[in-house]
């Protein structure tokens, strides 16, 4: 497997476009994105578990219930959530795609991100459709820009791998940084691949992958409103179609997991106000569930996040977060290590503090990518959670915003 | 029921003392507290559910397993947690109380709060015992000072009420503000009463009360390491002993709940860096569990807390926290109101934003005690959670602390 260029256009038969249509006031900010496949594609998706869902989710769910889609239309600047005509707008966007591309409205994935509870009309979108469609090409970056809201970094990645002797590609764009003002559509990720795979196996792969990737991200504990992750697979790589478990499916899942892990880290690193990417890796847990619960608990801890901002090797807070995580662990077996490209330092062994070098620890923690490694010494399961430090800027972005 | 003076010495037969014995370097900071009852008292307690527990907890548990105690000794400056000789030290403190007061070591509640993983010896405590015991009297405030760590406010309260024609009193002191440096003993609360009640009914009352008080506090999501809440009831009010459910038990529970609610609010208001006390009250929930889950979810939300710091009437974040709380609610029935002594403003009705006055909302939210009221319109259950805003000072206190 290797990283390649092209983002969501890396896979055969996918084109993308991104324009400014007028939803956002700032003319330099793109706000409408389109992704199309040359042929109908197997489609799978996962959605937020937040009871509050934007109208686009129900419409998308209905459209891909048959397992197929051919386009994705997404706007930023308005989340199309908590407004009265939401479903009408979402369906209207699908209809506009059909009108301008010939692709059936029922084969369109629709998404929105931005402010909630704000009136929305189709007018700017309708106005922008012609240039949106005219702009279709190898334009993954334009689409990636068009879906961004508070992100400071574009999130795009692609990989290539081999299945059945055929080269397959998979790429993705994503957005998600936190929430500002009433904005609930925090995380969107669109994935494309030319692998031939049935809708059922595609959904299986996606559902399994998000467990250890997107669902392991926490920026501020409020990001479980991850809106949508969608993957389209159009089969144009012409590999033997993956229709059951086996080696080919494993290769596919591995590529998908790699891609989603990279994207998850980009999202975590771009958390509002973040200065550091934090990865908490738990090893030798008794079960996968324990490993995930423990790593997420640590990543979500405000005290741990603040300590990382201050480059403070505060192992006690790690132990504390493990202790209240709800997972049954033997606290007398826990080892904790901090590491980064500046080195590593063991700060806790068997649940007790070690005599570690504070200067070394400070150096390790002054880097912008830090790993908090926890060894539970109780089994073979492991998991990683992704997050970021808690900074003054987080408070400023989210507290000082005056309506 | 009325508020009275005296704190933990308000109830008949209780005396207290607080001295500086030398655990803390700062000679002006008291670090050793003692509470004694003239007679053996029914005792009940609740402890942290964090798997990481300080040594004093196990020793206290063992000592009051027979339902009785007569003294409380507590030091600050060292949490006696994660050190090798913890149990020895905790038992040694009980033995010192016996040596200096004649009260059996097995009737002593022992607690510690402060830095963890730091060596601790009995020496300073032994050195301070004489002046500690000499200082016994109506000295609730001295004891309250001695147990404080990062608190900026002393927490002491007392109430009187009537049972069976007899005047009963109940008082308490507490500490708890957040966590700094490896410090896990965040919350301690000692309660005394002269009500006559059996150990079983006392435990029943306490266990029921903490559910809606201490367990509903969240300062930073890391405070579930509440160390200990202990109540001693020595019967010196000479009311008919409460040995079963009924009207007298109800009066007792009501007083206990009032006291614990006041203390819980004081703890929440003194959260690290806090400028505002936040109370999230949920009404008309289908079940108590739903009401508690929803109110706690809102109080724990970093985004909501930051918005309160910024006096930003961000109802979307309230909805979001409700939506991901895990509680089944009908989002199309939710009303949200912010209120304070400056007024109140309905910001969300039936799950949709209202056309509220931003200037009024700003005035309401500029106060230092804010209520976030959520009406779920689905039943009769209610609950309140207590917390505080997320501020730059929280980040400063917890991030900028250099070891």
């Amino acid at each position: 497997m290797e990283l390649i260029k092209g983002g969501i256009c890396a896979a055969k038969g996918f084109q993308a476009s991104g324009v400014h249509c007028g939803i956002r006031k700032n003319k330099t900010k793109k706000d409408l994105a389109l992704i199309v496949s040359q042929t109908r594609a197997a489609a799978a998706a996962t959605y937020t578990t937040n009871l509050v869902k934007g109208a686009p989710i129900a419409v998308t769910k209905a459209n891909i219930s048959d397992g197929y889609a051919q386009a994705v239309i997404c706007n930023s600047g308005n989340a199309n959530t908590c407004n009265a005509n939401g479903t009408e707008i979402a369906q209207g966007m699908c209809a506009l795609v059909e009108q301008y591309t010939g692709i059936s409205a029922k084969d369109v994935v629709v998404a929105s991100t931005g402010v909630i509870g704000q009136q929305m009309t189709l007018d700017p979108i309708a106005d922008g459709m012609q240039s949106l469609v005219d702009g279709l090409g190898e334009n993954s970056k334009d689409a990636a820009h068009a879906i961004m809201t508070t992100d400071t970094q574009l999130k795009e990645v692609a990989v290539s791998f081999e299945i059945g002797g055929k080269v397959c590609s998979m790429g993705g764009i994503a957005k998600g940084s936190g929430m500002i003002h009433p904005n609930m559509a925090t995380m969107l990720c669109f994935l494309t691949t030319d692998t031939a795979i049935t809708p059922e196996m595609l959904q299986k792969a996606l559902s399994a992958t998000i467990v250890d990737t997107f669902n392991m991200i926490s920026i501020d504990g409020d990001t479980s409103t991850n809106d949508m992750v969608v993957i389209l697979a159009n089969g144009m790589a012409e590999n033997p179609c993956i229709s059951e478990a086996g080696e080919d499916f494993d290769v596919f899942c591995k590529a998908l997991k790699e891609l989603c892990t990279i994207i998850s880290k980009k999202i975590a690193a771009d958390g509002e106000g973040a200065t550091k990417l934090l990865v908490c890796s738990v090893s030798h847990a008794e079960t996968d569930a324990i490993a995930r619960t423990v790593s997420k608990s640590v990543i979500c801890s405000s005290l741990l996040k603040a300590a990382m901002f201050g480059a403070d090797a505060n192992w006690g807070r790690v132990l504390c977060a493990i202790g209240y995580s709800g997972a049954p662990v033997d606290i007398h077996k826990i080892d904790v290590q901090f590491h980064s490209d500046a080195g590593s330092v063991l700060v806790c062994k068997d649940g007790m503090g070690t005599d570690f070098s504070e200067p070394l620890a400070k150096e390790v923690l002054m880097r912008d990518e830090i790993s908090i490694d926890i060894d539970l010494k109780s089994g073979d399961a492991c998991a990683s959670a992704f997050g970021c430090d808690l900074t003054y800027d987080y408070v400023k972005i989210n507290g000082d915003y005056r309506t």
Side-chain angles (χ1 to χ4, degrees), chain A:
Chain A
M1 177 169 21
E2 48 178 282
L3 286 171
I4 60 175
K5 287 191 199 306
I8 40 157
C9 300
K12 284 200 185 73
F14 285 96
Q15 290 192 320
S17 176
V19 302
H20 167 81
C21 72
I23 297 172
R24 297 186 85 112
K25 295 189 173 52
N26 179 357
K27 293 199 164 85
T28 66
K29 172 71 178 73
K30 296 189 199 303
D31 53 17
L32 190 62
L34 182 66
I35 306 168
V36 298
S37 169
Q38 200 172 306
T39 60
R40 235 173 147 236
T46 60
Y47 312 92
T48 181
T49 52
N50 194 315
L51 298 181
V52 182
K53 296 182 194 338
I57 288 185
V59 173
T60 292
K61 252 188 186 170
N63 285 354
I64 69 172
S65 58
D66 62 357
Y68 292 92
Q70 198 170 347
V72 177
I73 183 165
C74 175
N75 73 283
S76 58
N78 193 313
N80 194 14
T81 301
C82 293
N83 27 340
N85 63 346
T87 304
E88 214 180 286
I89 297 278
Q91 288 172 338
M93 287 169 72
C94 298
L96 281 167
V97 173
E98 177 170 330
Q99 184 185 338
Y100 281 81
T101 66
I103 289 168
S104 164
K106 295 262 173 257
D107 278 341
V108 180
V109 166
V110 54
S112 298
T113 178
V115 177
I116 77 154
Q118 194 163 282
Q119 289 286 16
M120 188 170 172
T121 77
L122 277 175
D123 294 350
I125 296 172
D127 289 346
M129 284 306 293
Q130 192 60 63
S131 66
L132 184 67
V133 171
D134 289 347
L136 281 170
E138 306 265 320
N139 296 320
S140 174
K141 284 183 163 48
D142 287 345
H145 276 296
I147 68 173
M148 280 166 65
T149 54
T150 57
D151 312 69
T152 65
Q153 303 286 328
L154 188 145
K155 297 163 184 81
E156 176 201 70
V157 66
V159 294
S160 77
F161 47 98
E162 249 188 55
I163 287 182
K166 297 287 187 182
V167 172
C168 301
S169 303
M170 190 190 297
I173 58 172
K175 62 83 54 179
S177 183
M179 294 192 355
I180 59 162
H181 203 51
N183 176 346
M184 260 174 230
T186 50
M187 204 204 80
L188 293 175
C189 179
F190 303 119
L191 306 166
T192 59
T193 182
D194 45 25
T195 309
I197 182 169
T198 62
E200 295 76 21
M201 296 310 288
L202 186 63
Q203 185 66 64
K204 228 177 175 133
L206 182 65
S207 298
T209 302
I210 59 150
V211 174
D212 290 311
T213 54
F214 299 109
N215 284 359
M216 294 303 288
I217 303 170
S218 179
I219 287 169
D220 49 14
D222 286 77
T223 60
S224 58
T225 59
N226 50 307
D227 204 355
M228 200 189 291
V229 179
V230 180
I231 181 166
L232 301 186
N234 69 8
M236 288 180 66
E238 298 186 339
N239 57 293
C241 183
I242 299 172
S243 58
E244 57 186 17
E247 203 188 302
D248 288 356
F249 183 62
D250 288 348
V251 172
F252 181 79
C253 287
K254 191 164 175 237
L256 181 60
K257 184 167 183 188
E258 182 66 29
L259 202 74
C260 291
T261 300
I262 293 171
I263 293 172
S264 296
K265 286 182 174 179
K266 285 180 186 281
I267 290 173
D270 197 27
E272 280 164 352
T275 68
K276 300 171 202 253
L277 166 67
L278 304 180
V279 179
C280 178
S281 294
V282 171
S283 62
H284 300 119
E286 215 184 315
T287 67
D288 288 337
I290 286 174
R292 288 186 195 118
T293 297
V294 169
S295 56
K296 263 206 115 172
S297 185
V298 172
I299 274 298
C300 289
S301 160
S302 291
L303 286 164
L304 182 276
K305 286 154 65 73
M308 292 298 98
F309 172 53
D312 177 17
N314 203 312
W315 60 273
R317 293 180 184 178
V318 176
L319 239 68
C320 177
I322 296 172
Y324 67 63
S325 68
V329 296
D330 184 343
I331 56 170
H332 301 298
K333 284 186 176 177
I334 301 174
D335 288 357
V336 179
Q337 173 181 258
F338 292 122
H339 95 253
S340 70
D341 55 21
S344 79
V345 58
L346 182 74
V347 289
C348 173
K349 189 165 177 59
D350 297 326
M352 312 264 277
T354 64
D355 199 12
F356 64 89
S357 157
E358 294 282 356
L360 171 60
K362 182 55 48 85
E363 275 211 51
V364 168
L365 296 177
M366 291 285 283
R367 309 298 291 162
D368 58 17
E369 271 192 47
I370 294 166
S371 205
I372 301 144
D373 301 328
I374 298 166
D375 188 338
L376 297 180
K377 293 183 279 191
S378 297
D380 279 311
C382 58
S384 291
F386 315 106
C388 59
D389 52 345
L390 174 61
T391 68
Y392 296 126
D393 276 352
Y394 178 88
V395 178
K396 186 180 172 105
I397 290 168
N398 290 303
D400 266 2
Y401 186 97
R402 292 283 192 273
T403 54

